[in-house]
């Protein structure tokens, strides 16, 4: 009976765990939907801003513009901005982006370049602060649904970091959202902003939907490339360089916000997938324990019957 009680307690414990993992999966799924809605809400502004910058390029050449944000200088120090999460239970999400950042730092070191870090998320902070690396600043307890206010505050510090000459190039190391079961750590140069940095052709909108009770992602191609530049007789009230100088920080902040959103969506999707797998494993474990319980109970009943029969024969 002691063995039966232990199995019953184990089944009860696993069922409670399954309730928790299933609740976490549903919460992550709801937050993924909110992240998607946020991306769609900010997209019109981002598309319009990119269009204006595209058209300005028709009248200006970045290499001829004397702006620090687009000026290429000799690279001696590279700043790496690493996007991670504050929490675990999201599969290999944090480990993958940390390994990618560490690999990038090693590549830069082989080229004789120094490397400094800006760390977002408690997991990256805990990892790199135990290593012999130069950490410029850290940010933790950011919202799981990124906001423009958070992005603006971080980018203002990054711009000051770059414009002061402490670093000659700034790179983002974040996780690009591919699907609910797939994400990819990538590296993107944020500063200095080059002509290639404005190319956003073949952009995609990811929409989380449900079919027959199962979540899936649909992709819609979005063409944001404008059909042409400003007319040649366009008269600017301000110098186009001044317009460009005002718009470039907005574009950089928008790019940074998109990276935050991609990372947040990847983390939530990874957590949803991990909790779904945990719930499935718990169900399988419950089935196995139930079978073991039934076998043990049947064996106990058989043993009791044999004892009763043996006692009756002894009395007879």
């Amino acid at each position: 009976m002691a063995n039966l009680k232990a199995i019953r307690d184990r089944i009860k414990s696993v069922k409670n765990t399954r309730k928790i993992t299933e609740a976490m999966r549903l919460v992550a799924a709801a937050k993924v939907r909110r992240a998607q809605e946020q991306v769609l809400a900010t997209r019109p502004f981002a598309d319009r801003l990119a269009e204006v910058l595209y058209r300005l390029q028709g009248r200006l050449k970045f290499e001829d513009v004397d702006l620090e944000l687009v000026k290429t200088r000799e690279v001696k120090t590279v700043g790496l901005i690493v996007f991670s999460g504050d929490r675990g239970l999201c599969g290999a999400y944090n480990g993958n982006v940390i390994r990618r950042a560490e690999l990038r730092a090693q590549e830069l070191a082989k080229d004789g370049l120094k490397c400094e870090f800006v760390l977002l998320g408690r997991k990256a902070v805990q990892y790199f602060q135990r290593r012999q690396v130069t950490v410029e600043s850290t940010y933790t307890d950011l919202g799981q649904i990124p906001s423009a206010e958070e992005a603006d505050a971080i980018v203002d510090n990054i711009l000051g970091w770059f414009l002061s000459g402490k670093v000659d190039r700034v790179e983002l190391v974040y996780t690009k959202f591919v699907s609910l079961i797939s994400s990819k750590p990538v590296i993107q140069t944020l500063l200095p902003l080059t002509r290639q940095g404005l190319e956003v052709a073949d952009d995609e909108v990811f929409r989380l939907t449900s079919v027959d009770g199962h979540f899936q992602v649909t992709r819609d191609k979005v063409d944001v490339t404008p059909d042409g530049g400003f007319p040649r007789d366009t008269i600017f009230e301000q110098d186009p360089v001044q317009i460009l100088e005002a718009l470039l920080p907005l574009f950089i902040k928008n790019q940074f916000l998109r990276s935050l959103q991609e990372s947040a969506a990847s983390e939530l999707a990874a957590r949803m997938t991990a909790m779904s797998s945990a719930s499935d494993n718990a169900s399988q474990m419950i089935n196995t324990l139930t079978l073991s319980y039934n076998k043990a109970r049947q064996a106990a009943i058989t043993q009791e019957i044999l004892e009763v029969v043996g006692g009756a024969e002894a009395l007879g």
Side-chain angles (χ1 to χ4, degrees):
M1 292 299 294
N3 187 37
L4 291 175
K5 184 178 184 304
I7 296 176
R8 282 199 304 269
D9 292 343
R10 180 63 174 162
I11 292 174
K12 182 179 179 180
S13 175
V14 175
K15 285 183 177 179
N16 291 336
T17 301
R18 185 176 61 180
K19 291 179 181 179
I20 295 173
T21 57
E22 184 64 16
M24 293 180 67
R25 183 187 72 84
L26 295 175
V27 170
K31 289 183 177 180
V32 169
R33 288 181 182 272
R34 288 175 57 193
Q36 168 201 329
E37 292 172 356
Q38 183 189 51
V39 172
L40 295 179
T42 58
R43 179 170 291 276
F45 171 78
D47 290 347
R48 188 61 177 172
L49 178 60
E51 180 182 349
V52 172
L53 289 175
Y54 264 116
R55 295 180 184 277
L56 278 174
Q57 286 186 67
R59 299 290 292 271
L60 297 170
K61 292 183 179 180
F62 276 8
E63 57 268 21
D64 296 335
V65 177
D66 187 20
L67 294 177
E68 290 296 328
L69 295 181
V70 300
K71 185 183 297 182
T72 302
R73 54 190 186 228
E74 182 183 359
V75 178
K76 297 180 179 178
T77 305
V78 177
L80 291 182
I81 305 175
V82 185
F83 296 72
S84 72
D86 288 319
R87 305 170 183 82
L89 297 178
C90 52
Y93 167 78
N94 290 309
N96 287 341
V97 72
I98 288 173
R99 280 193 296 271
R100 187 67 186 92
E102 200 168 34
L103 180 61
R104 180 56 177 165
Q106 294 172 0
E107 294 172 352
L108 294 172
K110 289 181 180 179
D111 293 335
L113 302 178
K114 296 180 181 179
C115 188
E116 297 186 7
F117 288 83
V118 171
L119 305 175
L120 278 67
R122 189 172 288 110
K123 294 299 181 179
V125 172
Q126 293 173 348
Y127 182 85
F128 284 103
Q129 284 187 340
R130 294 196 295 264
R131 271 71 181 173
Q132 294 181 346
V133 299
T134 303
V135 178
E136 171 68 20
S137 56
T138 62
Y139 300 88
T140 57
D141 297 321
L142 298 176
Q144 285 192 312
I145 306 299
S147 65
E149 290 77 13
E150 291 176 335
D152 288 350
I154 298 173
V155 172
D156 286 341
N157 292 333
I158 293 173
L159 289 175
W161 189 36
F162 175 77
L163 294 175
S164 65
K166 292 183 178 179
V167 293
D168 304 303
R169 190 170 72 224
V170 177
E171 296 180 353
L172 306 179
V173 185
Y174 68 99
T175 306
K176 185 175 182 179
F177 182 80
V178 179
S179 69
L180 291 178
I181 59 174
S182 177
S183 58
K184 179 183 179 182
V186 297
I187 295 176
Q188 176 183 344
T189 299
L190 183 68
L191 292 167
L193 187 63
T194 62
R195 190 180 186 89
Q196 288 75 20
L198 294 176
E199 294 177 358
V200 290
D202 296 329
D203 200 0
E204 291 183 343
V205 180
F206 294 91
R207 290 188 172 87
L208 180 65
T209 60
S210 60
V211 177
D212 298 330
H214 299 284
F215 290 106
Q216 68 176 19
V217 173
T218 60
R219 299 174 177 82
D220 295 330
K221 290 285 185 178
V222 178
D223 184 10
V224 296
T225 305
D227 53 4
F230 290 113
R232 290 186 175 274
D233 57 351
T234 300
I235 299 176
F236 293 97
E237 292 185 1
Q238 290 179 293
D239 187 345
V241 175
Q242 294 180 347
I243 299 175
L244 189 63
E245 186 177 12
L247 291 182
L248 285 180
L250 288 178
F251 182 80
I252 292 172
K253 290 179 180 180
N254 182 261
Q255 290 292 96
F256 188 85
L257 179 59
R258 285 292 300 273
S259 300
L260 273 177
Q261 293 170 339
E262 291 265 0
S263 296
S266 299
E267 179 184 358
L268 292 169
R271 180 168 292 110
M272 186 174 69
T273 301
M275 292 301 100
S276 179
S277 298
S279 298
D280 294 340
N281 292 337
S283 298
Q284 294 178 2
M285 187 177 294
I286 290 171
N287 293 335
T288 302
L289 289 172
T290 301
L291 182 60
S292 299
Y293 176 80
N294 292 335
K295 289 181 177 179
R297 183 170 176 272
Q298 184 63 45
I301 293 173
T302 302
Q303 182 63 30
E304 290 179 1
I305 292 175
L306 291 176
E307 290 176 357
V308 170
V309 172
E313 290 178 352
L315 291 175

